[in-house]
Amino acid sequence: MSVEPILEIDKLNISFFVRAGEIPAVMDFSCKVMPGETMGLVGESGCGKSTVALGIMRDMGNRGKIVGGSIKFRGRDMGDMSEEELRDIRGSKIAMIYQEPMASLNPAMKIGKQLMEVLIIHENASKADAYERSLAMLESVKLPDPKRVMNAYPHQISGGQQQRIVIAMALLSKPDLLLLDEPTTALDVTVEAGIVQLIKELARETGTSMLFISHNLGLILETCDRITVMYSGEAVETGTVNEVFDHMRHPYTQGLFNSIPLPGADKNSRPLVAIPGQLPLPMERPYGCNFGPRCPHFDDKCDANPVRMQPVPGEENHMSRCIRLNELDWNAEPERPVVTAPAVPGEVVLDVKNLKKYYNVAANQIFGGGDTRTVKANESITLQARESETVAIVGESGCGKSTLAKVLLGLETATDGEVTLSGVSIGEVEVGDRDTDTVASVQMVFQNPFDTLNPSHSVGSQIMRTLEKFKIGNNTEQRRERMLELLDLVKLPRAFAKRMPRQLSGGQKQRIGVARAFAGQPKVVVADEPVSALDVSVQAAVTELLMEIQREAKTTMLFISHDLSVVRYIADRVVVMYLGHIVEQGSTDDIFAPPYHPYTEALLSAIPIADTSVKKKQIVLDGDIPSALNPPSGCPFQTRCGHKASVGDNLCERELPPLKDLGNGHVMKCHLSDEQLQAMEPVISFDKDKQAS
């Protein structure tokens, strides 16, 4: 390995110049990426991760400017390069993969032409050579039927396949450095696992160095050699992945780890600890330590002078920006809130029996005519949810989770089967025909807090409008008092009642969403990916808030998610869905321990876990989830199942599996024999020596 870094950033400062003046975005940032190495860059939204990547690409728009420090690529200062040299390097020597694949793909051009363009422009390749090399690269990124994909438009393939196209495009010219900005955030957890495995394999084969930007610490552990933690424009800790994960030496790094539900976290005995406060605005950063106002170890030393990075004793290349580095007890447990009265599930509130939801879709819906086809979105769904209980519904996009939620909310009506709420049938009643009490009894917390608030109305008026619709309070004054109580409930200052949504952070907007959902004292709250759009520290705060309100109000919660780490922490029972079917359901302990349904096994294997003592079986699913318009015969999972061959006699392809009762409410749809199920090994295990150390 060469001793010269591929990328060397030294004391980088990037500012944006706006009418209000200069806004520093990145300050005193240094890091190195060696040949063949992957450096992870982590931190909350707004900490400067993407700005560093855009600084490397020199893609900061008219307002962004490097005002100090240097970025060297292969030993040469990029600030000394001409525009022509930078254009030549971009896309050939340094490539970037963005979070949203469609941001990099032209919707009006065939995929083959877009791939060939890279080689024709950067390497002056002939069309024939560019076609053959593009085709070979599509095979390398494991896309089915590469010739068909070459001739397709981006909208004709799935999101996971689009991301593979972008990866292929980035790797076509064999770059020395690959920048990945949250490349898997928008993907299902199983697709994410396949993409991560692919990136690691291709990097090994090509020797490409990578800068991997993510807020997911589990992904960083799985993909990176070294890590740099950023906070408010600065690097606050850097070192090898093992050094930082096992011996973290900055309070912010510890705060991130305390905010995520690692194995061993328990919502009653070992709850998460959110980082208090929020990231300071660039114009309002404190003097001294930027993290000081949110740090549990802050004292007068911390704001006396600007804090510089300093080496961690005994660990080469491990650095921390903490002035109290050698004073603190880094192994001390954080103070955790005590749950004195855990929720105890009561009587059945929601009872779903053999629910079916079908859609009839015309082959030519725009102009009419053609055959009508049936989409079986939900097929024989049976589940119960009790008072004060959290039931998690998990599965990939397209499995029917959101359709089930729509039926419960009255946005859709059931095709067949029965849905009862406290003994009252609601499955066939649209929301417009439901009485006020029923509408108030089933409420929802949506995934994206940015789209659920009216930007033209104050926060207080929107909550009061909800109270008015639910006929809570006899007059405006009573509703106003209840609105203020709801702000207290979600731990927001009462002064926020006068604020407009644009004045709130993402986490604060989601708290308003929670306040509105609980305004009508609902019996059931459907939480559809309520924390997936939030930073990890905000995720922890919103998760704890939901559970605290649930305990007090004895609300039943249906928690829809693809993040099984959060599910393991929050849920009492888990329902696993695939292609409209419930393939497994049971208590959380039963679902996370063998025997598993093969699909559950793959989901568990795909969880990125930020713990170096965890060992996981590697199970990467082939292909995408089939279309509900054309589901496979027999078992819905048989086209991707790794256990199908062990069943024999083509049984999985011929017959839908019967519901197998494993006891204690644990049921499964699978053709595997009892002996085969009992022989299954745990997907997640622990290195006991590592745990002990």
Side-chain angles (χ1 to χ4, degrees), residues 115-155:
L115 289 165
M116 291 163 62
E117 206 173 51
V118 175
L119 296 168
I120 291 168
I121 290 172
H122 287 293
E123 298 185 19
N124 205 21
S126 67
K127 283 190 177 180
D129 182 40
Y131 181 86
E132 290 303 321
R133 286 173 62 184
S134 298
L135 196 63
M137 183 54 78
L138 289 188
E139 289 174 359
S140 297
V141 298
K142 298 176 182 172
L143 275 167
D145 196 358
K147 286 186 178 178
R148 180 192 66 81
V149 173
M150 287 283 282
N151 206 38
Y153 288 95
H155 71 269

Side-chain angles (χ1 to χ4, degrees), residues 2-3 5 91 103 203 251 269 279 291 408 410 412 642:
S2 165
V3 292
S269 62
L279 202 72
F291 188 59
L408 299 179
E412 300 282 0

Side-chain angles (χ1 to χ4, degrees), residues 217-218 221-222 242 245-246 257 260-265 565 568 592 604-618 682-693:
L217 289 159
L221 176 59
E222 290 186 3
N242 282 350
F245 276 56
D246 294 340
F257 276 85
I260 55 177
L262 295 170
S565 295
R568 183 174 199 165
F592 279 79
L604 294 175
S605 167
I607 307 173
I609 301 174
D611 187 335
T612 58
S613 69
V614 166
K615 296 190 290 185
K616 281 194 309 178
K617 282 173 70 176
Q618 194 70 44
V683 171
I684 299 167
S685 57
F686 296 89
D687 183 332
K688 290 180 181 175
D689 294 336
K690 190 104 184 181
Q691 275 189 309
S693 65

Side-chain angles (χ1 to χ4, degrees), residues 601-667:
E601 186 182 39
L603 286 178
L604 294 175
S605 167
I607 307 173
I609 301 174
D611 187 335
T612 58
S613 69
V614 166
K615 296 190 290 185
K616 281 194 309 178
K617 282 173 70 176
Q618 194 70 44
I619 303 166
V620 177
L621 293 179
D622 289 328
D624 295 310
I625 189 168
S627 168
L629 264 173
N630 187 26
S633 59
C635 173
F637 188 58
Q638 55 97 351
T639 57
R640 303 169 79 193
C641 181
H643 293 272
K644 184 169 73 170
S646 65
V647 175
D649 197 27
N650 294 328
L651 185 61
C652 298
E653 296 173 15
R654 289 188 290 107
E655 294 181 20
L656 181 70
L659 198 63
K660 193 185 290 276
D661 190 343
L662 303 174
N664 195 32
H666 186 193
V667 294

Side-chain angles (χ1 to χ4, degrees), residues 39 225-228 237-241 243-244 317-319:
M39 167 67 82
D225 306 299
R226 297 177 65 242
I227 177 176
T228 298
E237 186 166 8
T238 185
T240 67
V241 165
E243 283 172 345
V244 174
N317 298 323
H318 188 181
M319 311 263 304

Side-chain angles (χ1 to χ4, degrees), residues 67 82 193 282 299 404 489 574 587 609 685:
V67 293
S82 66
D299 71 7
L404 173 58
L489 185 72
V574 181
S587 71
I609 301 174
S685 57

Side-chain angles (χ1 to χ4, degrees), residues 359-431:
Y359 297 96
N360 291 323
V361 181
N364 193 339
Q365 224 171 15
I366 297 173
F367 301 107
D371 295 332
T372 300
R373 302 174 72 182
T374 301
V375 177
K376 296 182 178 180
N378 285 156
E379 185 70 74
S380 299
I381 301 294
T382 297
L383 63 88
Q384 289 183 330
R386 300 174 184 278
E387 182 186 81
S388 299
E389 185 177 44
T390 301
V391 178
I393 303 173
V394 301
E396 292 168 286
S397 301
C399 74
K401 307 187 299 289
S402 295
T403 300
L404 173 58
K406 286 176 182 177
V407 173
L408 299 179
L409 290 157
L411 301 175
E412 300 282 0
T413 54
T415 304
D416 195 8
E418 190 178 4
V419 181
T420 57
L421 178 70
S422 298
V424 178
S425 180
I426 62 170
E428 296 173 3
V429 186
E430 290 186 358
V431 66

